[in-house]
Amino acid sequence: MTELNNLQFDAQHLWHPYSSVQNPPLLHEVVSAQGVYLTLADGRQIIDGMSSWWSAIHGYGHPRLNAAAKDQLDKMSHVMFGGLTHDPAVSLARRLIDITDDALQYVFLADSGSVSVEVAIKMAIQYWFAQGKADKQKLLSLRSGYHGDTFGAMAVCDPVNGMHSQFAKVLPQHLFAPAPTCRDDADWQDSDIAEMRALIEANHEQLAAVIVEPLVQGAGGMRFYCPQYLSELRALCDQHNVLLIFDEIATGFGRTGHLFAYEAAGVVPDILCLGKALTGGYMTLAATLCQSKVAQGISADGQGVLMHGPTFMGNPLACRVACESIDVLLESDWQANVLSIETQLVDELKELSSHSLVKDVRVKGAIGVVELNQPLDSFMDWLPKFIVEQGVWIRPFRSMIYVMPPYIISAEQLTTLTTAIKAIVNKLSESVKS
């Protein structure tokens, strides 16, 4: 009996994100990665325009991150965090407290971004429970938002246009406000927040928290909105005694041009979720930070312990690499790099704005989005193969072709990505006409 090769075995036995086992997706086997390049099993090298789902901000095989991981392996790869602690976790917490706002003083180290959202939700509900306000268990979020695929996180994702409608009957029913339409503060109109204000005013006695992705709504549609909205939202939450959670899993660590997106608005959340780029894409790790009033408030009734404890919480290997990743970022000229990427994306993608197939072109920091006026579902039989033939790795979704490259990408490599996007749009246009 002939043994199946990797791709054949994968097609018969492995599930991939958002895929069907009856119609498995086209796959490309990666054998190594270095810098911004993925090397495929057939020898081709392609530029990763996705930073491995927005996490590999330093590219692949970074010597300092490699060395940190190897050094930590020789000491210990894991030890339980219950009743024990270790230097990598303490050092990471020190760094996170140092680089975020002074008000954020407590750190919960979780497994993944979705779990950090789950922890944030628990923090908010337990906080009010300890204050004697057990009715405050509802959450308020934005339409077009995405916060993860676990059950608590799914419940605050867009219930209509999101990916989780078939779970509607088992998910908690929360509240949703329209997504902001202001692209920047010059576009600000009070009507943008009118319905959010009305929902908070009408439901504040039941609301534990508002949770939003600041400035950039990621997997819900790659939408950008203005800092003024966050300023207004912070004021509303303060006025009506509602906690504010910022999900910066995608935006944290410089992606928008600010180290954290909340800095653009000059406001601070009560609870902050971080993930993705936290370890530079080396392994899964996330963190939920909160203000002292939340952490201390959870224990206000004398018995409030935060009810969460993942097996791999505070994993020493992940924490050590995260420490090194943060140091590499802060010691680099990351702001200039992100600004350079932003400027080049604007310059090289702007011509697509007038294309008949294109609805919108938008750029923020190291994020470039070309939104088409129709979904891409009907083109997925040939599109993934065509993209790799352009020498790049881009993963379109819905009607969006977007890139979030590593910050180390060169101008020439970025041009390869933008040239590929233009080729994709032109090829799609030919398909539509035919």
Side-chain angles (χ1 to χ4, degrees):
M1 182 176 179
T2 304
E3 183 176 353
L4 299 176
N5 65 32
N6 283 352
L7 290 177
Q8 291 168 334
F9 187 92
D10 189 300
Q12 293 187 25
H13 299 285
L14 277 175
W15 237 315
H16 284 261
Y18 315 111
S19 68
S20 164
V21 297
Q22 292 185 350
N23 184 26
L26 172 68
L27 298 174
H28 302 278
E29 184 179 352
V30 178
V31 296
S32 65
Q34 185 66 41
V36 301
Y37 289 99
L38 306 176
T39 300
L40 304 183
D42 61 12
R44 285 182 294 175
Q45 287 192 317
I46 57 176
I47 296 172
D48 181 9
M50 312 307 294
S51 299
S52 277
W53 262 335
W54 326 339
S55 63
I57 57 175
H58 310 300
Y60 300 96
H62 193 286
R64 284 179 55 179
L65 273 62
N66 286 357
K70 292 172 183 175
D71 180 68
Q72 186 60 42
L73 275 173
D74 289 336
K75 296 174 181 176
M76 60 177 170
S77 60
H78 184 60
V79 64
M80 67 184 290
F81 212 52
L84 302 172
T85 192
H86 47 79
D87 180 73
V90 174
S91 295
L92 177 55
R94 288 184 193 275
R95 282 168 173 78
L96 292 174
I97 289 170
D98 284 346
I99 65 176
T100 55
D101 190 89
D102 289 345
L104 297 165
Q105 286 292 312
Y106 286 85
V107 181
F108 190 101
L109 297 170
D111 305 66
S112 67
S114 291
V115 176
S116 76
V117 171
E118 301 282 342
V119 172
I121 292 170
K122 285 185 174 181
M123 283 181 177
I125 291 172
Q126 282 197 241
Y127 171 80
W128 292 116
F129 189 88
Q131 310 308 305
K133 298 184 177 181
D135 289 338
K136 288 173 77 71
Q137 297 200 6
K138 286 285 187 183
L139 300 167
L140 172 56
S141 188
L142 290 172
R143 296 199 178 276
S144 298
Y146 173 83
H147 300 281
D149 292 339
T150 52
F151 270 73
M154 284 195 298
V156 291
C157 296
D158 190 309
V160 177
N161 298 312
M163 298 179 281
H164 308 123
S165 59
Q166 54 194 306
F167 305 104
K169 291 185 178 179
V170 296
L171 290 176
Q173 299 302 299
H174 295 303
L175 302 171
F176 294 87
T181 60
C182 55
R183 186 69 63 85
D184 54 48
D185 284 351
D187 298 330
W188 171 256
Q189 297 183 48
D190 187 68
S191 57
D192 249 328
I193 204 164
E195 192 166 339
M196 172 67 83
R197 180 188 295 116
L199 285 167
I200 293 175
E201 290 175 348
N203 298 279
H204 64 92
E205 291 183 359
Q206 290 78 44
L207 275 178
V210 175
I211 178 170
V212 300
E213 302 158 277
L215 297 191
V216 178
Q217 293 184 289
M222 302 305 298
R223 300 182 72 260
F224 306 156
Y225 66 95
C226 66
Q228 180 68 26
Y229 187 93
L230 299 177
S231 301
E232 300 287 337
L233 182 57
R234 175 74 273 182
L236 283 171
C237 288
D238 289 342
Q239 180 182 351
H240 295 284
N241 213 22
V242 175
L243 295 180
L244 179 58
I245 303 170
F246 281 173
D247 174 352
E248 292 229 31
I249 294 162
T251 56
F253 304 102
R255 182 58 69 176
T256 67
H258 297 270
L259 191 57
F260 300 102
Y262 69 75
E263 297 172 352
V267 300
V268 185
D270 298 297
I271 303 172
L272 175 68
C273 299
L274 301 175
K276 289 194 181 293
L278 179 57
T279 66
Y282 268 57
M283 59 198 73
T284 182
L285 183 69
T288 309
L289 283 70
C290 70
Q291 294 199 29
S292 296
K293 73 171 185 179
V294 176
Q296 297 293 337
I298 287 172
S299 300
D301 61 358
Q303 59 184 9
V305 295
L306 183 58
M307 296 304 297
H308 207 83
T311 300
F312 288 94
M313 179 180 178
N315 173 259
L317 185 56
C319 289
R320 176 69 188 280
V321 175
C323 288
E324 196 67 25
S325 178
I326 291 171
D327 290 348
V328 168
L329 178 65
L330 297 183
E331 292 167 21
S332 72
D333 200 357
W334 68 268
Q335 288 173 303
N337 293 341
V338 171
L339 178 59
S340 178
I341 292 170
E342 180 180 58
T343 301
Q344 187 174 347
L345 286 172
V346 169
D347 183 57
E348 296 184 0
L349 293 178
K350 62 184 178 183
E351 68 185 67
L352 289 174
S353 298
S354 58
H355 197 287
S356 60
L357 201 62
V358 173
K359 179 180 179 180
D360 187 35
V361 175
R362 50 189 180 269
V363 175
K364 183 180 289 291
I367 309 169
V369 183
V370 176
E371 184 177 357
L372 307 180
N373 52 31
Q374 64 183 83
L376 290 162
D377 296 353
S378 60
F379 306 106
M380 296 311 290
D381 56 336
W382 60 264
L383 186 54
K385 182 174 184 291
F386 179 80
I387 289 171
V388 170
E389 288 171 351
Q390 309 312 302
V392 302
W393 178 244
I394 296 172
R395 185 179 165 90
F397 79 107
R398 295 184 180 173
S399 59
M400 252 76 65
I401 306 167
Y402 77 96
V403 289
M404 281 190 174
Y407 302 164
I408 63 165
I409 196 167
S410 70
E412 182 181 6
Q413 292 162 342
L414 187 55
T415 294
T416 301
L417 282 175
T418 57
T419 300
I421 291 175
K422 295 171 190 176
I424 294 166
V425 173
N426 289 330
K427 181 70 173 177
L428 288 167
S429 182
E430 292 173 8
S431 297
V432 170
K433 290 176 182 176
S434 63

